[in-house]
Amino acid sequence: MTQRVLLTGGAGYIGSHTHVALVNAGYEVLVLDNFSNSARDVPSRLETVTGQAVHVIEGDVLDRALLDRVFADHDIDAVIHFAASKSVGESMRKPLAYMQNNIVGLVTLMQAMDAADVRRLVFSSSATVYGSAADLPIRETEPLSYGNPYGHSKLVCEQIIEQTVASDPRWAVGVLRYFNPVGAHPSGLIGEDPAGLPDNLMPYVAKVAAGQLPVLSVFGDDYPTPDGTGVRDYIHVFDLAQGHVQSLAALERDGTGHVVNLGTGRGYSVLDLIATYARASNRDIPYKIAPRRDGDAASSYADPSLAKTVLGFEAQYDLFDMCRTSWVWMQNSAQKAEG
């Protein structure tokens, strides 16, 4: 069994939940994070959740000298890589920054891993690599494309991994294509905390429910879907975290890599999510219909059957669980801000 895992971006939203899942599974975890998009109190929150000390190195995956020191000073068996920029909207405004952080960051990390003789990697990819998929549910064999710099960066990273593995069979890489991570740890101590206006739907809904934002804009109600609003595959972040632990175990067990979707296989509309969040929070969530956004697909949801076959992965949380845990996190965050 892999003993010590380097978790890049381990103080972020998905990284912090994966930290908990790894500790629960018996791994030792070393976090590397530059705290550019995560709160500095996350490690102390993780200590409360896990009951164990959290080992953190502040730094950047673009810093090769730092990475070399980390691998030299710690007996690392595998890496889970979350340290990437992830906002579609921001990537449209800052494409060069996204290429630098996401693509150059991965290359720098893999070069340091190779030099340290560490070649087991779980890579955080995205369903954005499918572009506007023609067939539903989306399978891993769907043609790949992109509609924005963020998606482009993830697709290039996947290609770099594929070519590296082809050149050297000592590498074993799990590529996990996420759909829409939402929710929070059931403790309410860690969750999604975007700076400024949220880029994703559920954090925005949560802020409207909490009275921090006045109204939610629903972009388009004339799609060919049951209620006219966009349909997406939402997956609870802790299910997603468990998928990373299962991916790591599969790399250890099989010695070969995999490329799989992580989703529930079920699509929910924007109005489904609003209604469910209103029920979970017992709050009204005012919304208004706005024009469609360019590039938004009508429907996108996964076929997760390959992940079940290869990893034993199966989502456990339903949409109400996702909304309920998000609301607990929002209430805890509000109390912390007031205190």
Side-chain angles (χ1 to χ4, degrees):
M1 174 181 170
T2 301
Q3 292 299 312
R4 185 174 288 123
V5 180
L6 176 64
L7 204 58
T8 71
Y13 175 43
I14 302 170
S16 60
H17 288 81
T18 301
H19 184 285
V20 175
L22 286 166
V23 170
N24 289 348
Y27 291 90
E28 293 181 23
V29 184
L30 178 65
V31 171
L32 175 70
D33 205 298
N34 66 5
F35 292 93
S36 63
N37 195 35
S38 53
R40 292 193 172 272
D41 68 346
V42 168
S44 64
R45 288 168 173 255
L46 286 172
E47 290 185 357
T48 303
V49 172
T50 63
Q52 295 189 21
V54 176
H55 304 285
V56 183
I57 295 171
E58 184 167 351
D60 199 297
V61 290
L62 291 165
D63 185 343
R64 175 61 192 275
L66 171 66
L67 292 175
D68 287 340
R69 289 198 301 275
V70 169
F71 283 107
D73 293 345
H74 303 274
D75 187 16
I76 292 165
D77 298 292
V79 178
I80 301 180
H81 180 44
F82 292 113
S85 304
K86 64 173 186 174
S87 165
V88 169
E90 184 182 52
S91 79
M92 302 287 280
R93 300 188 299 273
K94 302 176 180 178
L96 288 177
Y98 269 65
M99 299 305 158
Q100 172 82 358
N101 196 39
N102 294 5
I103 297 172
V104 180
L106 174 69
V107 170
T108 306
L109 174 65
M110 291 184 73
Q111 287 173 329
M113 289 175 65
D114 198 47
D117 202 24
V118 178
R119 298 182 185 86
R120 285 197 180 94
L121 171 67
V122 178
F123 175 69
S124 168
S125 192
S126 166
T128 55
V129 299
Y130 295 118
S132 295
D135 297 322
L136 295 172
I138 298 172
R139 296 175 176 84
E140 290 82 359
T141 51
E142 184 74 19
L144 304 181
S145 63
Y146 60 88
N148 53 70
Y150 168 67
H152 189 191
S153 74
K154 287 296 186 183
L155 183 54
V156 171
C157 286
E158 286 201 17
Q159 292 167 338
I160 289 167
I161 289 167
E162 182 181 11
Q163 291 160 7
T164 302
V165 171
S167 75
D168 185 347
R170 292 176 298 174
W171 281 91
V173 183
V175 174
L176 307 182
R177 293 174 179 163
Y178 310 166
F179 276 67
N180 296 74
V182 296
H185 189 267
S187 67
L189 289 170
I190 53 173
E192 188 168 15
D193 189 19
L197 279 179
D199 194 52
N200 297 320
L201 177 61
M202 187 175 284
Y204 209 111
V205 171
K207 286 182 179 290
V208 173
Q212 296 175 18
L213 292 171
V215 65
L216 172 73
S217 292
V218 176
F219 297 105
D221 65 348
D222 57 350
Y223 286 106
T225 61
D227 63 20
T229 64
V231 169
R232 297 292 181 270
D233 187 338
Y234 298 99
I235 178 172
H236 194 284
V237 65
F238 205 64
D239 279 332
L240 190 64
Q242 291 296 138
H244 289 76
V245 176
Q246 291 168 310
S247 176
L248 200 56
L251 296 180
E252 184 77 16
R253 180 187 69 236
D254 302 334
T256 58
H258 45 263
V259 179
V260 298
N261 292 332
L262 291 184
T264 65
R266 174 166 181 186
Y268 294 97
S269 74
V270 176
L271 296 186
D272 287 334
L273 191 149
I274 292 171
T276 306
Y277 209 104
R279 187 159 55 92
S281 64
N282 198 28
R283 299 287 184 96
D284 289 331
I285 299 174
Y287 67 89
K288 62 182 180 181
I289 304 300
R292 291 187 188 188
R293 293 181 299 191
D294 289 341
D296 278 357
S299 295
S300 174
Y301 54 93
D303 178 347
S305 57
L306 184 61
K308 184 175 182 181
T309 300
V310 174
L311 309 182
F313 172 81
E314 200 164 11
Q316 302 298 313
Y317 292 85
D318 64 16
L319 186 62
F320 185 80
D321 294 324
M322 301 176 204
C323 295
R324 178 180 52 80
T325 56
S326 167
W327 182 239
V328 171
W329 159 247
M330 282 299 296
Q331 290 176 301
N332 277 6
S333 299
Q335 288 170 1
K336 178 171 172 282
E338 289 168 3

